[in-house]
C-alpha cells in the first residue's frame, strides 16, 4: 500500500510539474509573439514580433521611404491617398510599379474610415506622431500605432530622414539600404553650409515658398517647418518667417513682401508657368519681382515630393542651393547629380527624358 501511495504521489508531482511547465511555456510563447519598441512620441508600443501587414497613414512621405528601406513594397497593404497621388506621378512607381496597387480607400475625404482600415487587417499602422486624434482611432480599434515625428530634429530634413530610418531599423532591423543616404545628406549639407555661412544677408535672396495654392487657398511656408531648413541652408531669407508652420496669405501680402524668388511645392496643383504667364484668374502676378525676373520654380518630384524629408533629400538641398545662389554653386551640374545619385542608391539609369519628368511634375501629384 505504501508503495502504491508513493507511486501516485510521484505521478501527481510529475503531472503538476508538467502542467506548470506547459503554462510557463505558453506564457513565454505569447510573450515572444510581441515586443516593445519606443516611437517618436516616447511611447512604448507593443508590436507583433512578426509583422506581415503594414498601413501608413498621415506620415505622408514615409511610404516612399519604407519602399526604399525595404527594397520593395512587400507587406505594405495600405497608404494615404495623398501619398498615392505622389507615388503615381513620381519615379517611385517606375522603380516599384506595384506601389500603385496598394489600397488607399481607408482614408475618405481626409478622414480615417476605421471599417475600411480593419478590412486591411493591419498588424501595425504608422502615423504622424503629432496627430493624437489619429492615434486614438487606431488604439480604440486595437491596432498597434507607431508615431513617426517631423519635429524631432527641428525640421532639419537630413536629420528627420535619419530619425525615420532609425525607427524603421528598430522595427524591422537594419537592411543596410538607407544608412548611406543619411551619410550622403550630411556630407552635402556640410559642403553647402561651408559656402553659405560666408554670406551676409545682403547677399541672400528673399524667398517665398507657396506650400498650398489652389482656387480657394494660398498658404506660405514659414518657420518651424521644413521651409526654414531649406531656405536657410541653401542661402536665402524666408519672407514668411513670422508664420509658424503655414500661414494663409493673399495677393496683398505677396505684393508687400515682393519676394526675389518663389518656390511652389507639390502639395499644390499650381505650376510655375501659372504665375510666370499670369494665368490665374483674379490675380495679377506680373507685379511681383520674382515673376518679373523669371525666378518662379516648382519643386521637382523624384521618389517623392521634394519638400518634406525623403530619400532624395540630398538632391533637394543641392537643387535649392543652385537656384538661390547660382554663382556660389555654379560647379554643381544637377542633371549629372541626379543621374549619379539614382544610379548609386537606386540602381537606376535615368535618361534625359526621365530628368525632365522629375523637373516637371504633373498637377495631379498634389492629390487635389
Amino acid at each position: 500500500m505504501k508503495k502504491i501511495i508513493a507511486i501516485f504521489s510521484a505521478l501527481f508531482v510529475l503531472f503538476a510539474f508538467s502542467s506548470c511547465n506547459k503554462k510557463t511555456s505558453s506564457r513565454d510563447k505569447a510573450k515572444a509573439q510581441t515586443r516593445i519598441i519606443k516611437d517618436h512620441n516616447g511611447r512604448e508600443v507593443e508590436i507583433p514580433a512578426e509583422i506581415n501587414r503594414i498601413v501608413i497613414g498621415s506620415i505622408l512621405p514615409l511610404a516612399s521611404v519604407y519602399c526604399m528601406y525595404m527594397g520593395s513594397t512587400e507587406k505594405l497593404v495600405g497608404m494615404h491617398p495623398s501619398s498615392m497621388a505622389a507615388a503615381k506621378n513620381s519615379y517611385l512607381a517606375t522603380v516599384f510599379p506595384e506601389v500603385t496597387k496598394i489600397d488607399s480607400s481607408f482614408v475618405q475625404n481626409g478622414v480615417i474610415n476605421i471599417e475600411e482600415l480593419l478590412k486591411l487587417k493591419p498588424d501595425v499602422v504608422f502615423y504622424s506622431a503629432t496627430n493624437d486624434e489619429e492615434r486614438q482611432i487606431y488604439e480604440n480599434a486595437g491596432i498597434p500605432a507607431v508615431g513617426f515625428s517631423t519635429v524631432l530634429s527641428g525640421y532639419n530634413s537630413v536629420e528627420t530622414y535619419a530619425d525615420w530610418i532609425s525607427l524603421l531599423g528598430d522595427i524591422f532591423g537594419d537592411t543596410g539600404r538607407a544608412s548611406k543616404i543619411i551619410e550622403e545628406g550630411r556630407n552635402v549639407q556640410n559642403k553647402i553650409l561651408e559656402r553659405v555661412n560666408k554670406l551676409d544677408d545682403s547677399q541672400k535672396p528673399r524667398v517665398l515658398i507657396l506650400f498650398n495654392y489652389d482656387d480657394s487657398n494660398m498658404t506660405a511656408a514659414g518657420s518651424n517647418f521644413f521651409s526654414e531648413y531649406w531656405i536657410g541652408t541653401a542661402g536665402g531669407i524666408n519672407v514668411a518667417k513670422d508664420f509658424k508652420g503655414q500661414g494663409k496669405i493673399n495677393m496683398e501680402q505677396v505684393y508687400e513682401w515682393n519676394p526675389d524668388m518663389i518656390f511652389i511645392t507639390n502639395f499644390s496643383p499650381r505650376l510655375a508657368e501659372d504665375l510666370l504667364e499670369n494665368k490665374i484668374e483674379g490675380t495679377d502676378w506680373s507685379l511681383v519681382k520674382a515673376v518679373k525676373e523669371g525666378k518662379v520654380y516648382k519643386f521637382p518630384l523624384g521618389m517623392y515630393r521634394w519638400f518634406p524629408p525623403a530619400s532624395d533629400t540630398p538632391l533637394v538641398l543641392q537643387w535649392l542651393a543652385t537656384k538661390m545662389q547660382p554663382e556660389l554653386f555654379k560647379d554643381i551640374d544637377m542633371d549629372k547629380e541626379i543621374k549619379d545619385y539614382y544610379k548609386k542608391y537606386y540602381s537606376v539609369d535615368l535618361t534625359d527624358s526621365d530628368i525632365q519628368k522629375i523637373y516637371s511634375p504633373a498637377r495631379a501629384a498634389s492629390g487635389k
Side-chain angles (χ1 to χ4, degrees):
M1 179 63 70
K2 288 180 179 179
K3 286 183 179 179
I4 293 173
I5 292 172
I7 290 170
F8 274 107
S9 296
L11 288 172
F12 177 78
V13 171
L14 184 63
F15 174 80
F17 182 75
S18 174
S19 177
C20 181
N21 268 357
K22 284 181 180 178
K23 288 179 181 178
T24 302
S25 175
S26 177
R27 284 197 299 270
D28 289 344
K29 186 176 180 182
K31 188 176 180 181
Q33 289 175 346
T34 64
R35 60 192 183 89
I36 304 293
I37 60 103
K38 186 173 285 189
D39 73 2
H40 285 163
N41 280 320
R43 297 172 56 255
E44 291 189 340
V45 184
E46 186 174 6
I47 62 174
E50 182 179 339
I51 296 174
N52 293 304
R53 299 182 68 81
I54 302 155
V55 170
I56 300 179
S58 56
I59 187 72
L60 303 182
L62 191 65
S64 66
V65 174
Y66 171 87
C67 293
M68 299 313 305
Y69 185 81
M70 301 299 287
S72 74
T73 61
E74 187 180 2
K75 300 182 180 181
L76 185 56
V77 297
M79 60 192 287
H80 196 284
S82 182
S83 302
M84 180 61 74
K88 285 181 176 179
N89 291 279
S90 72
Y91 209 81
L92 187 71
T94 303
V95 179
F96 304 109
E98 61 276 13
V99 75
T100 61
K101 299 175 184 177
I102 293 171
D103 194 284
S104 60
S105 63
F106 67 97
V107 178
Q108 298 172 358
N109 298 318
V111 179
I112 300 292
N113 183 313
I114 195 62
E115 289 79 15
E116 292 299 317
L117 179 67
L118 289 171
K119 289 178 184 178
L120 298 177
K121 300 178 181 178
D123 294 321
V124 65
V125 174
F126 301 151
Y127 72 102
S128 178
T130 57
N131 197 330
D132 290 332
E133 184 178 346
E134 185 179 359
R135 173 180 59 80
Q136 198 62 54
I137 291 172
Y138 300 141
E139 289 185 348
N140 290 344
I143 305 169
V146 180
F148 284 74
S149 176
T150 58
V151 304
L152 204 62
S153 291
Y155 291 106
N156 179 313
S157 298
V158 170
E159 296 306 325
T160 301
Y161 177 80
D163 294 336
W164 294 351
I165 295 305
S166 177
L167 186 49
L168 287 173
D170 291 344
I171 297 167
F172 300 108
D174 184 10
T175 64
R177 289 181 56 87
S179 57
K180 291 180 180 178
I181 291 178
I182 296 171
E183 183 181 358
E184 174 95 358
R186 287 170 177 162
N187 289 338
V188 167
Q189 176 183 258
N190 291 338
K191 288 177 182 177
I192 288 176
L193 284 174
E194 187 178 354
R195 302 185 195 183
V196 167
N197 285 342
K198 296 175 183 177
L199 300 174
D200 58 45
D201 284 354
S202 66
Q203 297 171 289
K204 298 177 181 179
R206 299 173 66 258
V207 177
L208 168 63
I209 293 181
L210 292 174
F211 181 77
N212 184 9
Y213 183 22
D214 54 30
D215 291 338
S216 60
N217 194 33
M218 179 163 57
T219 63
S223 58
N224 291 341
F225 204 19
F226 297 115
S227 43
E228 182 175 5
Y229 170 77
W230 291 130
I231 296 173
T233 308
I237 296 172
N238 188 358
V239 297
K241 62 183 178 182
D242 290 339
F243 288 118
K244 303 298 181 184
Q246 299 177 52
K248 191 168 184 177
I249 60 173
N250 53 32
M251 286 306 297
E252 284 69 29
Q253 178 65 77
V254 176
Y255 295 149
E256 183 180 332
W257 283 332
N258 200 24
D260 300 309
M261 290 184 172
I262 297 174
F263 294 86
I264 307 170
T265 80
N266 278 293
F267 293 98
S268 167
R270 298 293 191 209
L271 304 179
E273 51 262 41
D274 295 336
L275 277 62
L276 292 169
E277 298 171 16
N278 215 15
K279 292 180 177 179
I280 303 168
E281 189 176 346
T283 62
D284 186 0
W285 284 94
S286 68
L287 303 175
V288 181
K289 183 179 179 182
V291 175
K292 290 178 182 177
E293 297 183 359
K295 295 179 180 178
V296 180
Y297 310 98
K298 182 80 170 180
F299 272 88
L301 178 65
M303 288 295 183
Y304 186 71
R305 302 178 178 110
W306 278 20
F307 179 78
S311 55
D312 283 353
T313 286
L315 293 174
V316 184
L317 198 47
Q318 291 179 91
W319 178 77
L320 285 168
T322 60
K323 296 301 183 187
M324 293 187 205
Q325 296 292 340
E327 284 301 309
L328 200 59
F329 297 101
K330 60 185 177 182
D331 56 318
I332 295 178
D333 180 342
M334 277 312 302
D335 289 8
K336 183 178 185 304
E337 291 292 337
I338 296 171
K339 286 181 179 180
D340 290 349
Y341 189 92
Y342 271 57
K343 178 66 175 177
K344 182 177 181 180
Y345 294 110
Y346 309 144
S347 300
V348 169
D349 289 305
L350 294 180
T351 65
D352 290 341
S353 177
D354 292 329
I355 294 290
Q356 289 310 309
K357 184 179 178 182
I358 288 172
Y359 287 147
S360 307
R363 295 183 193 276
S366 68
K368 297 176 182 178

